[in-house]
Amino acid sequence: MKKRTFIKNTSLLVGSMAAVPAVLLESCAPKEKKDESADAAISSEAITEFELPELPYEFAALVPTIDAMTMEIHHGKHHAGYVRKLNIALNDYSEKFESLEGLLTKPDLPTGVRNNGGGHFNHSLFWTSLKAGGSNPTADFEKAIKSNFGSMDELKKALIDGGKSVFGSGWVWLIRNKSGQMEVTTTPNQDNPLMETASVNGFPLFGIDVWEHAYYLNYQNMRGEYLEKIFDVVDWQTVSSRLA
Ligand code: MN3
């Protein structure tokens, strides 16, 4: 399938939600079928296998906020494991889908697809939301944040409080909900707001991983400190681009 077709189909599937950011599509890009027969050309719209995206920076790029060993294990073991197990789970999944987002919005996802598909999407979004030194949001994004939260500081506080409130493992999200408003919400495990099971649905603009594997080497049990510090490396420019 040609990239243009893939992007077009993805926007159709996502429908009224925010457009899928090109950078995320790139990082979640599925492996395309190489069969050249005419029949295969028709069926090649469907995805059968996903690949681990490369980290867009070195393991040590986010030091001292996130240490290199955490990044190496988190990407090379945890995220890689979600992709590997997602591909295995898809062997028994007969529904057709044309993007990772399209898969995750389907009803009644089998547990293996839900956990590992969520894990793949969530981490792909996470890596591309961080950057050494961080970056500033666009004026449009900041305006939207002001109208929904009052200020960027209020948004950060809502994300920190939300992250602290997750019992056990999960994520805190900034989403654009179905009525176009920005909202902070949380999900357990590797669920995300695209899934029908989420308490609040919407398109994730930014998410913070609050599983212990994301911060334990550096912060031990102090999740609150990790949540405060992570804002030193948030790439708000990229997060802003997801609102467009
Ligand atoms: Mn993780």
Side-chain angles (χ1 to χ4, degrees):
M1 173 169 48
K2 299 231 172 12
K3 174 140 287 168
R4 198 178 309 147
T5 317
F6 176 54
I7 289 169
K8 188 180 154 205
N9 290 341
T10 303
S11 357
L12 284 174
L13 278 161
V14 174
S16 63
M17 290 179 181
V20 179
V23 65
L24 182 57
L25 280 175
E26 209 63 59
S27 68
C28 295
K31 189 181 272 183
E32 294 175 16
K33 282 189 178 174
K34 296 289 188 285
D35 195 322
E36 287 169 7
S37 77
D39 285 350
I42 295 165
S43 64
S44 71
E45 294 295 306
I47 290 170
T48 55
E49 198 176 342
F50 289 96
E51 284 183 317
L52 178 68
E54 278 186 28
L55 259 195
Y57 35 73
E58 302 291 314
F59 294 132
L62 307 179
V63 171
T65 308
I66 304 178
D67 62 282
M69 187 181 280
T70 293
M71 289 302 291
E72 186 170 358
I73 297 171
H74 201 173
H75 177 265
K77 303 291 181 192
H78 293 277
H79 189 174
Y82 297 126
V83 174
R84 186 172 46 80
K85 290 177 204 163
L86 171 60
N87 288 331
I88 293 169
L90 289 175
N91 288 334
D92 297 324
Y93 187 68
S94 55
E95 296 287 318
K96 295 272 182 282
F97 55 91
E98 294 164 12
S99 68
L100 184 53
E101 295 79 2
L103 171 63
L104 298 184
T105 50
K106 284 192 175 290
D108 305 319
L109 285 177
T111 306
V113 175
R114 173 178 169 179
N115 288 344
N116 296 297
H120 179 30
F121 180 95
N122 299 349
H123 289 85
S124 299
L125 188 87
F126 188 56
W127 310 135
T128 52
S129 301
L130 305 176
K131 181 185 178 182
S135 71
N136 291 321
T138 62
D140 283 349
F141 182 86
E142 210 167 339
K143 196 174 155 193
I145 291 299
K146 276 183 183 156
S147 104
N148 286 274
F149 296 93
S151 67
M152 284 296 288
D153 282 344
E154 288 297 318
L155 166 64
K156 288 177 192 173
K157 188 177 179 305
L159 286 165
I160 292 167
D161 290 347
K164 284 181 184 169
S165 78
V166 174
F167 182 75
S169 300
W171 291 74
V172 59
W173 303 97
L174 171 66
I175 63 164
R176 185 155 94 162
N177 67 25
K178 285 178 170 171
S179 49
Q181 301 299 303
M182 303 198 7
E183 199 174 331
V184 167
T185 183
T186 63
T187 53
N189 306 315
Q190 294 297 350
D191 284 0
N192 73 42
L194 292 170
M195 297 176 181
E196 62 156 10
T197 47
S199 57
V200 183
N201 284 118
F203 190 82
L205 303 170
F206 173 51
I208 306 174
D209 189 342
V210 297
W211 284 58
E212 283 186 344
H213 67 225
Y215 62 85
Y216 207 84
L217 293 182
N218 223 1
Y219 300 92
Q220 291 79 49
N221 60 320
M222 295 175 290
R223 185 192 284 181
E225 194 180 322
Y226 156 73
L227 284 163
E228 300 262 358
K229 292 276 175 60
I230 202 166
F231 291 102
D232 292 345
V233 293
V234 174
D235 185 0
W236 288 113
Q237 189 77 40
T238 295
V239 174
S240 299
S241 73
R242 294 173 182 149
L243 188 63

